[in-house]
């Protein structure tokens, strides 16, 4: 059985590394559309504390997590967990 692994996405917030599908930048129109649709359906988890969104984390549950950490940083934290 896989152990539950968490990664820090800023301000002490954690997400399950095993449930992450994608980590993307929020700048493109399709990603903005995904965020808006998820917001309307109540599937957005805003972990930015009112600051600028720099990464959008798509979870396998359909939830969309907004983070202030750069996508490259979140990705490197994910890959570090894969090597442990």
């Amino acid at each position: 059985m896989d152990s539950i692994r968490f990664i820090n996405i800023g301000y002490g917030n954690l997400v399950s590394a095993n449930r992450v599908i994608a980590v993307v930048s929020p700048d493109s129109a399709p990603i903005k559309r995904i965020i808006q649709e998820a917001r309307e359906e109540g599937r957005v988890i805003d972990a930015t504390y009112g600051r600028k969104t720099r990464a959008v984390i798509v979870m396998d549950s359909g939830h969309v997590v907004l983070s202030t950490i750069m996508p490259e940083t979140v990705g490197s934290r994910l890959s570090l967990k894969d090597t442990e």
Side-chain angles (χ1 to χ4, degrees), residues 7-77:
I7 57 166
N8 186 333
I9 60 163
Y11 303 109
N13 297 299
L14 306 169
V15 295
S16 176
N18 303 344
R19 312 267 328 249
V20 173
I21 292 178
V23 180
V24 294
S25 172
D27 299 329
S28 72
I31 300 303
K32 288 179 181 178
R33 216 170 12 258
I34 288 172
I35 295 169
Q36 186 58 40
E37 289 171 5
R39 193 178 304 276
E40 290 168 0
E41 296 171 10
R43 295 183 291 113
V44 166
I45 300 170
D46 189 346
T48 63
Y49 285 73
R51 291 173 176 81
K52 181 178 173 41
T53 299
R54 293 194 177 115
V56 178
I57 304 165
V58 181
M59 309 299 286
D60 65 355
S61 63
H63 287 86
V64 176
V65 182
L66 308 179
S67 173
T68 59
I69 295 179
M70 296 298 290
E72 296 85 5
T73 305
V74 177
S76 68
R77 291 178 183 180

